[in-house]
Amino acid sequence: MSTAILTGSPVAGSPLEADLRTLGFDVRTANDPASVAELIAGLPAQQRVAVVDPRFVGHLHALRLALTDPRFPAAAVPGALTVQPEARPALARAVGRIPVGAGTAHLTDVLTETLTESLDQDAVGLHRVELGSLVATVALTPAQREEAREAVAAVDDEAVRLRTAVKSRDGFFTTFGISPYSRYLARWCARRGLTPNQVTTASLLTALIAAGCAATGTRGGFVAAGLLLLFSFVLDCTDGQLARYSLQYSTLGAWLDATFDRAKEYAYYAGLALGAARGGDDVWALALGAMVLQTCRHVVDFSFNEANHDATANTSPTAALSDKLDSVGWTVWVRRMIVLPIGERWAMIAVLTALTTPRIVFYALLIGCALAACYTTAGRVLRSLTRRARRTDRAAQALADLADSGPVAELIARGARGRGRTGSYLAPVMAFLSAAVLLIWVIFEDDPSSWLTVGVAAASALLAGAAVSRPLKGALDWLVPPLFRAGEYVTILVLAARADVPGALPAAFGLVAAVAYHHYDTVYRIRGGTGAPPRWLVRATGGAEGRILLVTVLAAALSPSGFTIALTALAVVLALLVLAESIRFWVSSQAPAVHDEGEPA
């Protein structure tokens, strides 16, 4: 139970107390700052506390947004504010700072506003709710109260609540093909007590069943798989809309929401590959290639955003042109569709699964994602080259964490420290050479499963260490993590394909999936403001260069069948290691309650 303190006598005929109880608050009254402070001090330490002016007039949903959102330590609208346990000391200080005596009436007449201003200055992370068309005000006179009530009656807060349950920015297919009805499904779930986590889990199970149907290799199975994949996506939209509709954000929900999309999509790729194999068509290389390309696209997105979201003097003629194009309605949707976001991508996969073959699905996916990757990466490179921006230490650290450098690169970087200039193009050039040298060798060498490949991998590790030897603050340093990912993932793909034995590519698929999960986990920890996974985990997994060295050694030392067994064992060990640490973190109290509201992935 949370507690709401009314700072004065309730107004006759006001529904405020009933609204507060509807939101789960125990209502108490206090007539002055001293009694407010006494009440706060007497409440259990784990309780959320709200302070509400009894003259408040507004929509129930305005109160809900201000008083029940778990993502913010403190939040406020005119006439109401709330603090979670971590911000209660700041509220107590704010109450204690209010002077008593002559000339202080203006500070206590609307006490909530005085406390809100004080909390804002105390830097506790106060969130001022954007009300839009919702009403929240303190009516000081009967005329103001009547006017405010008329304003409340003129706006349907349930319609606003439904509308704001949908992401403000999403893809064309999601916006026009899913959200018009999925928001009502979200409301249906809320009224029956379902949680976003339950809907997220249902979406995952539906996608796994779809993958199982695809794995049958029959036309009926492919049709069922396509339909179930679309329904899984409807549920995927619904869980976030339910979270926004009912403000049910949680640490566990953040982890589920962040990882299940990738698990669903990549499990479906595996199902398609298994189904194709039943029909005598081996498309595991295409399935793994699609997963590699999609993951590298995401790393480009993550790295670019982390490098630039808090940069200062962050201006670019290219960005200005992009903003100008966004003012022309139809170009917005064309540009969002070009990048093949999750809605368009899953719709394409579902339709092609039902109507064609897995090989055609993967060809379309690889071509579409490759074009999208070229479009977005080229635009971001151009922005970076024309942008006058100063990268922060936080951005440089985020890029270093995303690079996932292990002990070998750390040792090399320590020896190369001080060489080269921060802000130059040395880091992306070294990262590009690190990936290119290795990939050219394993792709074009007649027998890449040799000790010479191990030597090339060692040279690649040297270049990788040089790439991260200085803070990543250069204009194109955000390219370092995706280049490392491409080098690692494609090397595993090629070595498994060149082994030319049954089971090698599925084993490589599992290994890349485990490593990719580790990289996604790193991204969402950074987004939540808690930093990268612990250093011991990065060292235990070997880092990117360590895993490459290990895989090349296994390829050189073992027979093709032994290499397949080793890849499988490595995939299992890495998956157990990163999953155990990830689960420990995301179900702990330190994990952030973050839900993705950015661009569709």
Side-chain angles (χ1 to χ4, degrees):
M1 175 71 73
S2 301
T3 299
I5 302 171
L6 293 179
T7 59
S9 301
V11 177
S14 170
L16 180 58
E17 287 193 51
D19 285 347
L20 290 171
R21 290 192 174 95
T22 297
L23 297 177
F25 284 89
D26 177 30
V27 181
R28 304 189 187 185
T29 59
N31 294 319
D32 54 62
S35 54
V36 170
E38 184 178 350
L39 267 177
I40 293 173
L43 294 173
Q46 72 276 13
Q47 274 199 13
R48 173 194 286 267
V49 176
V51 180
V52 184
D53 194 299
R55 298 163 295 183
F56 174 89
V57 179
H59 288 101
L60 174 62
H61 192 51
L63 277 178
R64 182 183 289 109
L65 291 170
L67 304 185
T68 66
D69 195 326
R71 295 174 297 172
F72 309 106
V77 293
L81 67 94
T82 185
V83 292
Q84 296 209 62
E86 62 267 31
R88 277 180 54 178
L91 178 61
R93 289 194 300 270
V95 174
R97 283 196 293 262
I98 298 176
V100 178
T104 64
H106 67 287
L107 297 175
T108 55
D109 184 39
V110 185
L111 183 60
T112 53
E113 297 309 299
T114 301
L115 294 176
T116 297
E117 292 297 329
S118 184
L119 286 175
D120 212 0
Q121 296 170 11
D122 212 354
V124 295
L126 177 72
H127 172 65
R128 292 183 182 268
V129 177
E130 294 183 9
L131 293 170
S133 59
L134 295 174
V135 176
T137 187
V138 176
L140 301 178
T141 66
Q144 289 178 352
R145 175 167 293 276
E146 185 60 31
E147 182 181 350
R149 284 174 172 170
E150 289 177 0
V152 169
V155 176
D156 183 353
D157 72 336
E158 178 60 20
V160 173
R161 190 180 178 190
L162 271 174
R163 186 174 65 250
T164 55
V166 178
K167 275 185 181 182
S168 58
R169 178 185 175 90
D170 225 325
F172 181 88
F173 177 73
T174 305
T175 300
F176 297 104
I178 303 295
S179 293
Y181 58 87
S182 62
R183 69 184 75 183
Y184 296 100
L185 179 58
R187 183 172 66 180
W188 183 89
C189 292
R191 291 177 175 176
R192 283 152 184 80
L194 297 177
T195 68
N197 293 350
Q198 291 170 334
V199 178
T200 302
T201 303
S203 176
L204 174 67
L205 293 175
T206 304
L208 293 179
I209 295 171
C213 291
T216 63
T218 63
R219 177 51 52 194
F222 288 147
V223 171
L227 292 173
L228 286 170
L229 186 66
L230 284 177
F231 182 60
S232 174
F233 183 65
V234 171
L235 293 176
D236 181 61
C237 295
T238 302
D239 66 356
Q241 291 165 1
L242 175 58
R244 287 182 285 273
Y245 180 84
S246 57
L247 299 181
Q248 295 184 74
Y249 300 100
S250 67
T251 54
L252 179 60
W255 175 61
L256 296 177
D257 189 56
T259 56
F260 276 15
D261 279 353
R262 305 288 81 80
K264 289 180 288 189
E265 186 167 0
Y266 298 159
Y268 192 81
Y269 292 176
L272 283 175
L274 288 169
R278 285 181 177 272
D281 190 12
D282 186 353
V283 296
W284 275 106
L286 296 177
L288 180 50
M291 182 168 68
V292 168
L293 180 54
Q294 188 57 36
T295 304
C296 289
R297 281 186 64 201
H298 286 143
V299 177
V300 168
D301 294 342
F302 299 145
S303 297
F304 179 81
N305 291 334
E306 287 300 325
N308 291 287
H309 88 276
D310 61 350
T312 57
N314 200 5
T315 59
S316 164
T318 308
L321 175 61
S322 177
D323 293 339
K324 189 173 182 179
L325 287 174
D326 280 345
S327 65
V328 182
W330 66 270
T331 66
V332 174
W333 296 116
V334 169
R335 293 166 69 211
R336 290 187 191 180
M337 293 172 69
I338 287 174
V339 300
L340 205 63
I342 188 170
E344 277 75 359
R345 192 168 67 251
W346 282 28
M348 180 185 75
I349 293 171
V351 171
L352 290 179
T353 298
L355 300 179
T356 64
T357 65
R359 180 172 289 274
I360 292 176
V361 173
F362 285 124
Y363 281 154
L365 193 59
L366 286 166
I367 293 170
C369 287
L371 292 175
C374 291
Y375 169 77
T376 55
T377 305
R380 287 169 177 172
V381 168
L382 187 58
R383 286 190 185 198
S384 299
L385 292 175
T386 59
R387 175 174 277 158
R388 295 179 180 178
R390 290 187 293 275
R391 270 73 181 186
T392 63
D393 291 338
R394 179 204 169 280
Q397 183 58 53
L399 291 179
D401 292 334
L402 290 172
D404 193 32
S405 301
V408 176
E410 279 184 338
L411 184 63
I412 296 167
R414 200 173 297 125
R417 195 85 61 190
R419 302 175 187 174
R421 182 170 57 86
T422 299
S424 68
Y425 297 114
L426 178 64
V429 169
M430 291 295 102
F432 173 77
L433 291 175
S434 173
V437 165
L438 183 60
L439 293 181
I440 290 173
W441 176 268
V442 297
I443 290 172
F444 294 105
E445 171 62 21
D446 290 337
D447 181 19
S449 301
S450 68
W451 291 105
L452 280 176
T453 303
V454 177
V456 175
S460 174
L462 285 170
L463 293 168
V468 297
S469 63
R470 299 298 300 266
L472 299 175
K473 294 185 176 182
L476 296 179
D477 285 2
W478 57 270
L479 286 169
V480 171
L483 286 169
F484 283 175
R485 296 295 78 75
E488 178 182 2
Y489 298 161
V490 177
T491 296
I492 295 172
L493 188 162
V494 173
L495 288 176
R498 299 289 293 274
D500 198 24
V501 293
L505 280 167
F509 189 96
L511 177 57
V512 172
V515 176
Y517 176 85
H518 168 56
H519 292 142
Y520 282 116
D521 185 49
T522 301
V523 164
Y524 284 99
R525 293 196 198 206
I526 294 172
R527 280 188 170 184
T530 58
R535 196 62 203 161
W536 69 261
L537 179 67
V538 177
R539 292 193 176 104
T541 60
E545 80 293 339
R547 289 187 295 270
I548 290 173
L549 281 168
L550 177 58
V551 170
T552 56
V553 167
L554 292 174
L558 301 174
S559 66
S561 58
F563 179 58
T564 299
I565 295 171
L567 284 182
T568 304
L570 184 58
V572 171
V573 170
L574 283 177
L576 291 175
L577 189 62
V578 299
L579 275 173
E581 164 54 24
S582 178
I583 292 171
R584 182 209 64 78
F585 171 77
W586 286 103
V587 300
S588 72
S589 59
Q590 291 78 31
V594 174
H595 280 253
D596 182 19
E597 299 293 335
E599 295 187 22

